[in-house]
Amino acid sequence: MEVRPRDTERQVRRRKSPLRQVADFAAASGVGQKAGVALAATGLALTVGLPATSPVMATSESGQTESALAVSGGSQPEVSAAASAKIDFSRAAVATAADPDGKLKQLLSAQSVGSIQRASSVGTLASPLDSLVTASPFGYRVSPLTGGTGDFHRGQDFVAQCGTAVHAAATGKVTFAGWHEYGGGNRVVVDHGNGLETTYNHLSSFNVKVGQTVTRGDTVALSGTTGASTGCHLHFEVQVNGEVVDPMGWL
Ligand SMILES: [Zn+2]
């Protein structure tokens, strides 16, 4: 593997994270750091697509659900229900259809995975965490180790206290559940077929074994900070034909 994942990304980055920007703005504008962070967390979560299963959504009264869904925009699963309908926010109930994997299956069967554009793939994978807040994005960044540019971050880091349930992003088969030699620590890989795989890294423990079939939303592991990691978080990867791609193009 030519590029090793480095998750010691707690230091300097090329740009301030959105969280930091909003927090700074809030501090400067007198809103206060604490409120700013809460504000930023909300904005961030909406930006990356707060899953409808999150506690925030679950506690919404039915009257508020529509606006909440509208705010979060395109990354939301399509939920069709009358405004007055009582919406059950259990994981299965927010699926687009009877088969929660339907949209993904349809996409993968319609064209080769390598030719799929972001516009079609966004929203086809489910959130690997109940609450999805980015800690460090996919792609090139300043190396947290050397300070040099050109450090390639192979996945998306999400905020997760150690021991947080990590969910399969789609139905698939577990092809790896063990120690990753190149920094991933305890890692689970799920093969969704047609060249699409997801990986879950720095885990504290496994809930699955190699060869096991998992259903979208199943808890495959608990998050941790094993491997090249400086703190509890989930490093989540999406691979297309063996190459990592931006997970936010699929969530
Ligand atoms: Zn990472």
Side-chain angles (χ1 to χ4, degrees):
M1 204 169 291
E2 65 224 39
V3 193
R4 296 158 52 119
R6 287 220 182 97
D7 279 353
T8 45
E9 67 263 329
R10 293 291 171 265
Q11 296 160 43
V12 111
R13 287 184 202 137
R14 202 173 338 195
R15 291 184 305 147
K16 282 181 180 177
S17 72
L19 177 79
R20 190 69 212 186
Q21 288 173 32
V22 180
D24 287 354
F25 168 78
S29 61
V31 175
Q33 187 79 7
K34 204 168 183 180
V37 168
L39 178 68
T42 307
L44 252 188
L46 292 175
T47 302
V48 301
L50 184 66
T53 49
S54 77
V56 172
M57 301 296 293
T59 54
S60 295
E61 293 302 318
S62 58
Q64 297 171 318
T65 16
E66 279 196 312
S67 55
L69 286 170
V71 167
S72 28
S75 5
Q76 277 295 336
E78 295 150 26
V79 178
S80 55
S84 58
K86 190 167 172 63
I87 298 175
D88 178 0
F89 278 96
S90 70
R91 182 166 290 278
V94 294
T96 53
D99 179 2
D101 274 297
K103 193 177 169 191
L104 178 64
K105 284 181 190 163
Q106 194 177 30
L107 181 69
L108 292 177
S109 63
Q111 56 187 309
S112 88
V113 68
S115 68
I116 292 171
Q117 299 296 305
R118 189 184 181 104
S120 344
S121 58
V122 163
T124 55
L125 288 180
S127 168
L129 295 167
D130 286 334
S131 176
L132 210 57
V133 175
T134 293
S136 182
F138 171 86
Y140 285 98
R141 61 180 180 182
V142 173
S143 168
L145 298 181
T146 66
T149 53
D151 184 44
F152 188 72
H153 188 216
R154 296 173 53 84
Q156 188 94 358
D157 289 344
F158 294 114
V159 173
Q161 290 184 347
C162 286
T164 303
V166 174
H167 307 295
T171 293
K173 192 172 186 179
V174 177
T175 54
F176 185 86
W179 186 258
H180 184 242
E181 294 293 324
Y182 300 101
N186 288 327
R187 168 178 166 107
V188 167
V189 179
V190 179
D191 184 354
H192 306 290
N194 297 76
L196 183 69
E197 295 167 290
T198 52
T199 85
Y200 312 79
N201 303 271
H202 310 313
L203 308 167
S204 58
S205 64
F206 302 111
N207 287 38
V208 294
K209 292 175 183 164
V210 172
Q212 185 177 336
T213 297
V214 291
T215 301
R216 173 180 294 237
D218 281 356
T219 299
V220 295
L222 299 182
S223 65
T225 183
T226 54
S229 171
T230 55
C232 301
H233 73 284
L234 175 68
H235 172 97
F236 174 69
E237 296 174 347
V238 177
Q239 296 191 359
V240 167
N241 293 331
E243 301 287 329
V244 290
V245 298
D246 183 1
M248 300 318 292
W250 289 80
L251 290 173

